[in-house]
Amino acid sequence: MRPCVIVEGLVWAWMGDEAPTTEPPRQNDGLDDWTGEKKGCFVNDVQIDLPYDHSYLAENLIDPAHVAISHDRTQGGDVRENAQPYEMIMDHDSISSQGFTGKFRYADKENATWINLKFEAPGIIRQTGNPRGKIQFGAALHCMPLALGRSRLLFRAYFGGLPWLATRIIASRPTWQRNLNSCKILEQDVGLITTQEDHFSRTNHTLKDDFLLLKSSDVFVGAYRNWMDRVGQGMPWFQGLATQSRNVNNHLSGFQLPPSLDPANHRSSGQDVVETRYHRHVMHCPATRKALANVQLLKKVCFICSVAVITATAGLAPTISSSSNILVKRLVSFGLVPAIPVFCIATALLRKLESHFFVSFKRKDQLRREKGV
């Protein structure tokens, strides 16, 4: 049996045959070892699978400059008007096979506070700081490969020092609703990242050939890809800035879906190669999965009620004019007839809500073969 230990709410297993030689990584920011909660802070945990290589996932999460552009006016993101240069400082003495550290802040904002960043091998991005005065922020983002071209993110972010009302409002949102919003944010990057991955597969270029890394936004992206150049030879596959393994793009030729992603099981208008939010997140998350079951049940109840009310109204309609029973007339006029649009609208709204659990993504095959404009 493999040794297992719970650290900050995550279960770690030692896969070696010998006794563990190292401790599981920690955030070291006061998180409870058993639950991962932090006293006085609101903690948001979510898991999602993504259809691109884990190195692109780590690169995306280590890049703060894209947030205002890619997640414009998305709850938990930013607004495009806030996009501006960053001051980014690398701790060059920290660079090793175990990762590196640095810090960043807005370059054009007076008295901007620093956010500390740590990349911990092989794929953990940690951030801590006070971005807005007394508000405490922390993140522990665990990126892991599932296979060539597929990755999983265990996302944890926590906030402290928020006003009481803001804390109550955030905490009042159901867990499944927060999870779907987190999925939306991460899915907003999928189209760009898969297009980028396909571009390098099609052209056989290295990242260094086509990347334009700016000191005001891409310092940590360059540091991460350079780190991959240094240590990638010890990995099953890798893609650094100047070098990459021969098999890194194998998944883009003769692309096959994992067995659990059979298109026959998808609600996505008959597309051939597609995966939905259900497979990326919902099926793995008890809270979101239970919410989906409740929505589907309530939708069925409302649909059955609408059919029953319409049938009853149609059946009673011929007798209304000839009937002298005032109660029957009032039942139809003030009970059944108004109930028809109520149940129909409720069914439509629940169907729309249900669709948020099944957002589709289709990888465009032509991007692997054809040169873009």
Side-chain angles (χ1 to χ4, degrees):
M1 184 175 178
R2 304 292 185 185
C4 296
V5 62
I6 297 176
V7 174
E8 296 177 346
L10 298 176
V11 179
W12 294 85
W14 179 259
M15 302 307 293
D17 294 327
E18 305 297 330
T21 58
T22 184
E23 291 291 323
R26 296 174 178 271
Q27 181 80 351
N28 290 322
D29 195 25
L31 298 179
D32 183 83
D33 247 357
W34 184 255
T35 65
E37 299 289 329
K38 180 177 171 66
K39 187 176 181 180
C41 289
F42 173 80
V43 180
N44 183 38
D45 288 336
V46 68
Q47 169 274 331
I48 186 171
D49 295 348
L50 294 158
Y52 49 78
D53 187 67
H54 76 286
S55 67
Y56 284 98
L57 175 58
E59 175 190 299
N60 187 51
L61 296 171
I62 212 168
D63 169 27
H66 84 282
V67 174
I69 303 297
S70 297
H71 310 300
D72 178 40
R73 289 171 173 80
T74 301
Q75 187 173 2
D78 208 331
V79 294
R80 193 174 293 262
E81 289 76 12
N82 285 345
Q84 58 183 285
Y86 278 85
E87 183 179 358
M88 296 180 166
I89 297 178
M90 276 288 302
D91 181 5
H92 294 282
D93 294 335
S94 70
I95 300 175
S96 71
S97 61
Q98 301 303 308
F100 55 83
T101 61
K103 59 183 180 179
F104 63 91
R105 65 178 180 181
Y106 287 123
D108 295 342
K109 186 177 291 187
E110 291 185 9
N111 301 320
T113 57
W114 292 100
I115 301 295
N116 298 308
L117 181 143
K118 179 180 181 181
F119 169 69
E120 190 171 345
I124 306 175
I125 292 94
R126 304 187 187 277
Q127 296 182 14
T128 56
N130 299 83
R132 297 179 182 177
K134 296 181 179 181
I135 297 178
Q136 180 187 3
F137 166 75
L141 314 174
H142 296 72
C143 313
M144 59 193 73
L146 295 179
L148 270 169
R150 293 195 58 78
S151 54
R152 173 168 293 171
L153 171 63
L154 302 181
F155 176 97
R156 168 174 291 159
Y158 52 92
F159 302 87
L162 295 170
W164 180 87
L165 182 59
T167 303
R168 293 297 95 196
I169 292 174
I170 295 174
S172 66
R173 294 187 67 193
T175 300
W176 64 269
Q177 194 175 36
R178 297 197 303 267
N179 289 348
L180 292 185
N181 185 73
S182 297
C183 289
K184 176 183 177 181
I185 292 174
L186 291 159
E187 289 161 355
Q188 287 174 334
D189 296 315
V190 169
L192 175 62
I193 294 175
T194 53
T195 302
Q196 176 179 307
E197 191 176 35
D198 290 333
H199 165 79
F200 288 106
S201 172
R202 184 182 64 247
T203 61
N204 290 319
H205 290 180
T206 65
L207 301 185
K208 187 177 181 179
D209 293 330
D210 295 337
F211 269 20
L212 177 61
L213 300 176
L214 305 177
K215 291 184 178 180
S216 58
S217 59
D218 302 314
V219 171
F220 302 128
V221 171
Y224 171 69
R225 290 298 183 179
N226 281 320
W227 178 85
M228 290 291 285
D229 281 328
R230 294 179 59 184
V231 305
Q233 300 297 336
M235 300 179 180
W237 67 87
F238 78 98
Q239 189 167 19
L241 191 63
T243 61
Q244 63 185 38
S245 60
R246 292 183 179 181
N247 65 341
V248 71
N249 290 318
N250 282 3
H251 62 291
L252 297 179
S253 57
F255 181 70
Q256 294 181 346
L257 287 172
S260 63
L261 296 178
D262 184 348
N265 298 326
H266 291 202
R267 300 163 43 98
S268 47
S269 67
Q271 299 181 78
D272 293 331
V273 180
V274 68
E275 53 181 44
T276 69
R277 186 179 288 173
Y278 177 84
H279 299 90
R280 291 190 294 267
H281 166 72
V282 177
M283 64 185 293
H284 303 293
C285 176
T288 315
R289 193 168 62 245
K290 182 178 179 181
L292 173 61
N294 290 337
V295 169
Q296 291 175 327
L297 176 61
L298 190 56
K299 184 192 71 171
K300 290 178 181 178
V301 170
C302 288
F303 177 75
I304 292 171
C305 289
S306 64
V307 171
V309 170
I310 292 172
T311 303
T313 303
L316 292 173
T319 65
I320 293 177
S321 57
S322 60
S323 176
S324 59
N325 191 328
I326 297 177
L327 290 178
V328 173
K329 292 182 178 181
R330 289 183 175 178
L331 173 64
V332 174
S333 301
F334 300 106
L336 297 180
V337 172
I340 293 174
V342 171
F343 284 120
C344 289
I345 292 172
T347 302
L349 291 176
L350 287 166
R351 182 175 178 80
K352 183 175 179 60
L353 177 58
E354 181 189 17
S355 70
H356 291 299
F357 295 81
F358 293 93
V359 176
S360 302
F361 167 74
K362 183 177 188 298
R363 193 164 193 137
K364 294 179 171 57
D365 294 334
Q366 68 270 23
L367 292 178
R368 304 175 197 158
R369 303 186 302 270
E370 301 173 5
K371 186 175 182 179
V373 177

